[in-house]
Amino acid sequence: MQQQERLEEFKKSVQNKFNVYNSLFLNLPYRNIENVGMLIPLLMDQSQKGLKSGLNPKEIIEDFFERFANLDTEEERIDFMFRIIQYVERQVVLYDSVEDAAFPKIHKHSSSLSLKDYFQLVEKNNSWEAIADKLDNFSARIVLTAHPTQFYTPAVLDIITNLRTLILEDKIDEIDVALQQLGLTSLVNAKKPTPLDEAKNIIYTLRNVYYDAIGDMYAYIKRSAGSRGFENHDIVKLGFWPGGDRDGNPFVTASITKDVMDELRINLMKCYYNDLKRLQHKLTFREVQEPINKLRANLYKAMFDPTKDVGYEDIIGPLQQIRTALVDKYHDLYLKDLDLFIDKVKIFKTHFATIDIRQDHSMHTKVMNAVLAKNGFVKEDLNELSESKLIDILLNEKMTLVPEDYEEDIVKDTIKNVSQLITIQAKNGEEGCNRYIISNSEDIFSILFVYALFRWCGWEDKKITFDIVPLFETMKGMDNAEATMQQLFNLKAYKTHLSNRGNKQTIMLGFSDGTKDGGYLKANWSILKTKEELSAVCDANEIAAVFFDGRGGPPARGGGKTHRFYAAQTNKVANNEIQLTIQGQTITSTYGTKEQFIYNSEQLLTAGLSNTILGKEITISEDSRALIEELSELSFEKYDALKHHENFMPYLENMSTLKYYTKANIGSRPGKRGNKAKLELSDLRAISFVGSWSQLKQNVPGYFGIGTALKSLADNGRFDEAQKLYEEVPFFQALMMNSMMSLSKCYFELTSYMKENEAYGDFWQILHDEYELSKKMLLELSGMEILMEKETISRESIKIRESIVLPLLVIQQYALQKIGANSKHKELYEKIVTRSLYGNINASRNSA
């Protein structure tokens, strides 16, 4: 019944409204392009019919031009295709706005556990005592990244915000004007954004959405706890990667990190200043004027001058003084308003969000080679040293590193950055920047190199106020993770460091490259097993394990339904905190409005807290584990064979949009690591890898191999075992449902012409066969008749989005075909392919 109510609300508040406003949009009164709006529905219809009847994109587009568009020259046709792309991009923005505006109405009918539901359960079971400690200590950290799948400028975000408000109020005339504004506003970056540009775009959301959303959510929890008291200001924390994540991004330098830290602090001071100004209109009492005026003057200076130091005590002190006056002399008048502001200051302090430093282990190895050679410990290479000798140097040798002593840029900048972190902590507070993440960690040196850098860059005689966080993302890294951590815990110096950090060890697992390396099922099963192993090894060493998950995008990059993922974790996985990345357009699609942020943050909290109140502990039996292991190996065998197929990389390079990701001005980061002439899978960034499959509507990393694995069981008369596994093991069911989401976004009809291609026809057939098999086997496994049968709203949303961008997809494939045929307008067709990436990515919202 709930699903039916949600579907009816979706049709009323999303489908119908989009159709009404889209009709306005398709008739925008612009010179020379009015016909485009009228022809888009016709092109969509021709594309659907043509692809279903087996026509290829070239045939569909050329037939359309001849029959409907009345455009004779190739130049006119190219210009027309560019205008279609511009229209469709804006249709996606309109649909986003309509869907976001409808979010509160649709989720009224949700069956998910909200904080209100959670606290009602607590009251019903009379179990406040049971959850009090968990509530006081639990934390969810939402870490915002700037991976290159997010590119709405602040100007466009302002239009979207305005559209959402107007749609809620059904102000059709003003919506018409806003759509005209959208039509005339560029949706793409004129040039590649810098890391600082990316940071500013996301800080916009921090300031305009998260500042108030987190404050309001905290106030609700505090009210719900009532007389029991609640003072956990870390229950929802914000993390931040733009400006700190230098993995594969040479444009993130020490000076960029400093500039981003300043931006975070300055924008927080603006939030504080505006809150204080509003409060001052209410607090008109004589004895509070001096502390208010003094604080307001300090905040005003700090808003514009990055060198102005306003510490946490400088802000909280006057506010506590005002509070005392209100209680003692002014009858608690407006105390509730003041307390909300005080709690915000206790949550955000002077940092707003905690910026993480991230770098790949290979870069630290370069730095260590240079440092130890310069200081006479090796002649050329670290391999000259035994493991024990190298460990001894890293833990015990004393030296002072100066950037100017080295020639290589990466060495200079790494030393400069680690050295400046002391100053950054002094300005933004320790919580402003206190984590250093090492990508591609595979042994203890991944961690010890960073530990030594801190020692030699200013922390020699003091506590290192940083968590050093390994990211085990490859299969090798995850296989070695347990032994690596135990070896670290055996080192007295590192154990002392952990003691100074509260005996907590944060560990990142899998992330995007895990799926790229091991295939979907094996990567995710390996992550869960590694979490269990690391939980045990940390527990045995009296260390609290904290897991940090890369979950911000599509299933193929570790994403999918987040609440389902955390609710399916087993009782062997440490549950001290929830930490996850939010990537790309998922920032705006899942956490982009106040209502969305609060709803999805509540889902994280209730997923982490529910075991405490519901007494629910998820276990996986040994038989079930053995079966998942068997399926993961069968799946991996199929995926690994594909990965090593001679046409795997050539197909991506020559038949997909892979090379065009780096040409689009989406993100500041290059599309691959290193400068090798020949592209290798290990150098390829997961975003362009997964994104290229998504643009082809083949989504290979999200399911490939699963169909084969399940078919193998069925062929041996054991399919009932898999069905039982699906019904009884939430973790396995969550993975299969995520794969169904990836499959539901596939559309092989778009590329079916490739099966006739002399070089790649057989390879395309391998992909298509596994898609058909996976779809068939997953439907049998779940007992569903259609993919995502029980996720009606998500399914309908995907269906609408895919239909909106179908003209873009057909144009993109047409342009790729023209490029392959060496058209004299090859350069223009390449621009069409590059430009078409934007609308397709935004329509998918999680890119696969």
Side-chain angles (χ1 to χ4, degrees):
M1 185 60 188
Q2 251 179 348
Q3 184 158 286
Q4 186 58 38
E5 288 173 347
R6 292 184 76 209
L7 183 58
E8 286 172 9
E9 187 61 58
F10 179 84
K11 286 179 176 175
K12 184 171 69 174
S13 299
V14 179
Q15 282 180 308
N16 293 346
K17 284 197 174 186
F18 173 69
N19 289 334
V20 169
Y21 302 139
N22 193 38
S23 65
L24 287 175
F25 196 68
L26 293 175
N27 289 287
L28 288 178
Y30 297 136
R31 185 172 58 88
N32 295 332
I33 62 173
E34 55 270 14
N35 290 337
V36 177
M38 291 185 286
L39 288 173
I40 282 177
L42 188 57
L43 177 57
M44 184 188 298
D45 182 63
Q46 291 299 110
S47 297
Q48 287 172 337
K49 289 176 180 173
L51 290 171
K52 280 181 181 173
S53 65
L55 296 178
N56 76 45
K58 186 171 182 290
E59 292 169 327
I60 292 167
I61 293 294
E62 289 179 351
D63 180 64
F64 175 79
F65 282 138
E66 287 170 16
R67 292 173 58 199
F68 303 109
N70 195 27
L71 298 170
D72 299 321
T73 70
E74 191 167 6
E75 289 82 358
E76 287 177 317
R77 293 179 174 189
I78 288 170
D79 183 56
F80 181 82
M81 284 187 283
F82 272 116
R83 282 184 268 144
I84 286 180
I85 290 169
Q86 290 173 327
Y87 255 87
V88 173
E89 285 171 346
R90 285 159 178 78
Q91 281 182 293
V92 172
V93 173
L94 173 60
Y95 184 78
D96 283 349
S97 303
V98 172
E99 195 170 67
D100 290 347
F103 184 88
K105 288 183 179 178
I106 291 169
H107 284 277
K108 272 183 185 175
H109 307 290
S110 172
S111 59
S112 300
L113 193 66
S114 67
L115 278 175
K116 182 180 178 183
D117 299 328
Y118 180 78
F119 290 130
Q120 284 176 348
L121 270 173
V122 173
E123 289 287 356
K124 182 181 176 183
N125 296 350
N126 195 25
S127 51
W128 275 105
E129 292 302 318
I131 68 133
D133 184 61
K134 188 76 172 176
L135 200 59
D136 287 342
N137 293 286
F138 192 74
S139 177
R141 183 191 294 248
I142 298 164
V143 181
L144 308 165
T145 78
H147 292 316
T149 54
Q150 174 63 21
F151 38 76
Y152 284 147
T153 61
V156 174
L157 290 173
D158 279 334
I159 294 171
I160 291 172
T161 301
N162 183 38
L163 269 174
R164 278 196 298 255
T165 304
L166 296 173
I167 288 164
L168 281 170
E169 297 169 2
D170 285 320
K171 294 185 174 178
I172 192 122
D173 292 333
E174 292 179 49
I175 289 169
D176 188 24
V177 174
L179 290 175
Q180 291 183 50
Q181 180 191 358
L182 178 63
L184 294 168
T185 303
S186 175
L187 265 70
V188 298
N189 297 311
K191 59 182 181 179
K192 204 171 183 68
T194 67
L196 185 58
D197 294 331
E198 290 173 331
K200 286 180 177 179
N201 273 10
I202 298 175
I203 289 170
Y204 173 96
T205 306
L206 292 185
R207 186 176 166 191
N208 291 285
V209 178
Y210 300 167
Y211 176 75
D212 283 330
I214 291 177
D216 288 355
M217 190 161 60
Y218 185 87
Y220 176 74
I221 297 171
K222 194 174 181 178
R223 283 197 307 274
S224 300
S227 60
R228 298 161 193 85
F230 175 74
E231 286 292 322
N232 179 9
H233 291 94
D234 287 334
I235 195 157
V236 176
K237 296 188 283 192
L238 294 175
F240 202 80
W241 275 17
D245 181 9
R246 56 232 323 119
D247 176 14
N249 193 341
F251 307 114
V252 178
T253 60
S255 60
I256 286 287
T257 300
K258 180 185 174 298
D259 289 345
V260 172
M261 296 298 302
D262 286 342
E263 281 291 324
L264 282 164
R265 190 180 63 258
I266 285 169
N267 276 275
L268 178 61
M269 296 304 146
K270 289 175 181 176
C271 292
Y272 287 164
Y273 182 83
N274 289 332
D275 267 1
L276 186 65
K277 189 168 70 170
R278 283 190 289 269
L279 260 176
Q280 193 168 19
H281 291 310
K282 297 177 179 179
L283 303 182
T284 52
F285 322 122
R286 178 180 294 176
E287 294 208 14
V288 301
Q289 293 310 303
E290 184 182 343
I292 284 181
N293 288 330
K294 183 179 178 182
L295 178 56
R296 186 168 169 177
N298 274 337
L299 292 173
Y300 187 81
K301 288 176 187 172
M303 284 162 52
F304 301 105
D305 182 2
T307 65
K308 171 69 177 174
D309 284 336
V310 179
Y312 172 67
E313 292 301 329
D314 298 326
I315 302 170
I316 203 70
L319 292 177
Q320 296 288 15
Q321 189 181 341
I322 294 165
R323 190 181 196 283
T324 301
L326 290 187
V327 173
D328 292 348
K329 298 185 178 182
Y330 299 108
H331 312 293
D332 294 352
L333 206 57
Y334 298 119
L335 185 64
K336 183 180 173 183
D337 301 74
L338 178 63
D339 279 345
L340 176 60
F341 183 28
I342 287 173
D343 281 328
K344 285 181 181 176
V345 173
K346 287 181 177 180
I347 291 165
F348 299 113
K349 297 186 175 66
T350 53
H351 62 278
F352 215 163
T354 301
I355 193 167
D356 289 340
I357 308 298
R358 183 169 82 122
Q359 181 58 286
D360 191 80
H361 173 54
S362 61
M363 295 298 107
H364 296 141
T365 304
K366 281 187 179 181
V367 174
M368 277 298 154
N369 264 323
V371 167
L372 296 190
K374 177 82 174 173
N375 287 275
F377 291 101
V378 298
K379 289 181 180 178
E380 293 182 0
D381 192 87
L382 296 177
N383 292 326
E384 298 164 28
L385 299 168
S386 67
E387 181 177 295
S388 59
K389 180 59 179 173
L390 182 53
I391 291 172
D392 181 61
I393 291 169
L394 298 172
L395 295 182
N396 300 311
E397 287 293 340
K398 294 194 174 189
M399 58 182 90
T400 301
L401 302 186
V402 179
E404 290 70 31
D405 290 346
Y406 300 88
E407 293 181 8
E408 202 171 351
D409 287 343
I410 185 65
V411 180
K412 278 184 179 179
D413 193 72
T414 301
I415 294 169
K416 184 180 177 184
N417 185 54
V418 176
S419 300
Q420 76 170 356
L421 295 177
I422 295 175
T423 309
I424 284 174
Q425 283 193 347
K427 290 183 79 71
N428 285 48
E430 186 196 308
E431 289 175 69
C433 184
N434 61 5
R435 310 201 311 174
Y436 200 118
I437 300 161
I438 307 107
S439 306
N440 281 305
S441 292
E442 292 186 346
D443 56 36
I444 62 165
F445 294 110
S446 309
I447 295 92
L448 292 185
F449 284 172
V450 173
Y451 179 82
L453 280 171
F454 275 100
R455 288 185 59 237
W456 300 334
C457 291
W459 269 270
E460 180 64 66
D461 299 316
K462 57 172 82 72
K463 294 175 183 176
I464 297 173
T465 50
F466 263 76
D467 296 330
I468 302 173
V469 182
L471 167 46
F472 300 112
E473 51 190 323
T474 62
M475 291 297 107
K476 180 183 175 184
M478 285 190 276
D479 288 344
N480 294 342
E482 182 182 13
T484 297
M485 295 315 299
Q486 184 57 66
Q487 197 176 353
L488 278 169
F489 296 153
N490 289 341
L491 298 172
K492 185 180 176 183
Y494 191 74
K495 201 75 186 289
T496 301
H497 165 66
L498 287 181
S499 177
N500 294 332
R501 300 301 296 160
N503 281 318
K504 282 186 178 181
Q505 174 67 60
T506 304
I507 303 168
M508 236 183 143
L509 287 170
F511 209 51
S512 304
D513 284 313
T515 303
K516 187 183 80 175
D517 189 30
Y520 184 67
L521 183 54
K522 183 176 174 68
N524 282 280
W525 176 233
S526 296
I527 289 169
L528 181 69
K529 287 191 300 178
T530 307
K531 274 187 173 182
E532 292 177 337
E533 291 163 0
L534 290 171
S535 297
V537 77
C538 286
D539 191 51
N541 288 274
E542 298 181 331
I543 301 294
V546 175
F547 293 112
F548 179 17
D549 299 294
R551 291 204 50 78
R557 288 210 321 277
K561 299 286 186 179
T562 299
H563 178 268
R564 193 158 62 204
F565 170 81
Y566 283 111
Q569 300 292 287
T570 70
N571 64 342
K572 292 183 179 181
V573 175
N575 186 30
N576 300 300
E577 290 185 30
I578 282 177
Q579 297 190 5
L580 75 161
T581 58
I582 301 297
Q583 302 171 25
Q585 69 269 45
T586 314
I587 292 172
T588 47
S589 67
T590 309
Y591 293 85
T593 67
K594 189 174 178 180
E595 294 82 6
Q596 287 172 324
F597 181 89
I598 289 175
Y599 174 84
N600 286 296
S601 297
E602 285 188 1
Q603 296 305 292
L604 289 180
L605 291 175
T606 56
L609 293 168
S610 58
N611 289 358
T612 309
I613 179 65
L614 300 176
K616 179 182 67 175
E617 285 199 337
I618 293 172
T619 60
I620 303 178
S621 70
E622 290 306 314
D623 286 347
S624 294
R625 285 174 178 276
L627 186 55
I628 298 174
E629 187 73 39
E630 183 181 349
L631 287 167
S632 76
E633 289 303 324
L634 288 166
S635 175
F636 173 68
E637 191 179 315
K638 180 71 174 177
Y639 175 75
D640 197 49
L642 182 76
K643 213 171 65 170
H644 289 95
H645 192 287
E646 62 181 359
N647 278 335
F648 185 77
M649 289 306 296
Y651 179 83
L652 275 176
E653 284 191 274
N654 299 316
M655 304 301 282
S656 83
T657 58
L658 179 65
K659 66 183 77 167
Y660 300 98
Y661 264 80
T662 55
K663 295 181 180 180
N665 293 324
I666 296 172
S668 65
R669 175 182 286 170
K672 68 185 182 79
R673 297 180 174 99
N675 300 305
K676 295 175 190 169
K678 183 183 178 184
L679 184 63
E680 295 178 8
L681 183 60
S682 57
D683 298 324
L684 193 57
R685 298 214 64 87
I687 284 176
S688 48
F689 174 72
V690 171
S692 297
W693 290 115
S694 172
Q695 295 278 329
L696 284 167
K697 291 298 159 189
Q698 293 174 354
N699 294 336
V700 163
Y703 63 84
F704 197 89
I706 287 174
T708 293
L710 291 170
K711 178 72 162 50
S712 177
L713 243 60
D715 288 345
N716 289 306
R718 298 171 56 204
F719 196 65
D720 58 327
E721 293 178 38
Q723 289 173 314
K724 187 180 179 205
L725 189 69
Y726 179 85
E727 289 165 9
E728 294 181 358
V729 180
F731 170 77
F732 183 71
Q733 185 177 110
L735 294 186
M736 295 304 101
M737 290 179 80
N738 278 343
S739 281
M740 283 191 263
M741 183 199 296
S742 291
L743 286 163
S744 72
K745 294 183 181 182
C746 289
Y747 193 54
F748 271 82
E749 289 91 337
L750 179 71
T751 56
S752 63
Y753 71 92
M754 292 182 188
K755 65 186 172 189
E756 308 299 333
N757 185 285
E758 188 176 335
Y760 300 109
D762 290 344
F763 187 80
W764 182 91
Q765 196 64 52
I766 291 170
L767 304 178
H768 183 250
D769 288 348
E770 186 63 19
Y771 158 75
E772 291 288 358
L773 182 61
S774 296
K775 181 178 174 181
K776 176 177 179 289
M777 298 311 297
L778 281 169
L779 288 175
E780 282 187 35
L781 180 75
S782 63
M784 297 180 193
E785 293 185 10
I786 55 172
L787 293 169
M788 299 181 72
E789 185 179 307
K790 296 179 181 177
E791 297 175 84
T792 316
I793 304 302
S794 295
R795 190 182 73 241
E796 289 300 311
S797 178
I798 288 169
K799 185 178 172 184
I800 294 170
R801 289 174 178 281
E802 296 298 313
S803 67
I804 291 170
V805 295
L806 186 60
L808 238 63
L809 293 166
V810 172
I811 285 171
Q812 183 186 87
Q813 287 297 318
Y814 171 71
L816 286 168
Q817 286 179 281
K818 296 291 277 186
I819 292 165
N822 274 319
S823 163
K824 65 177 181 178
H825 296 294
K826 183 178 178 183
E827 194 174 321
L828 284 172
Y829 284 116
E830 286 181 335
K831 286 182 180 177
I832 283 177
V833 173
T834 302
R835 185 59 189 274
S836 67
L837 295 174
Y838 295 87
N840 291 336
I841 291 171
N842 275 338
S844 292
R845 281 211 152 176
N846 67 11
S847 293

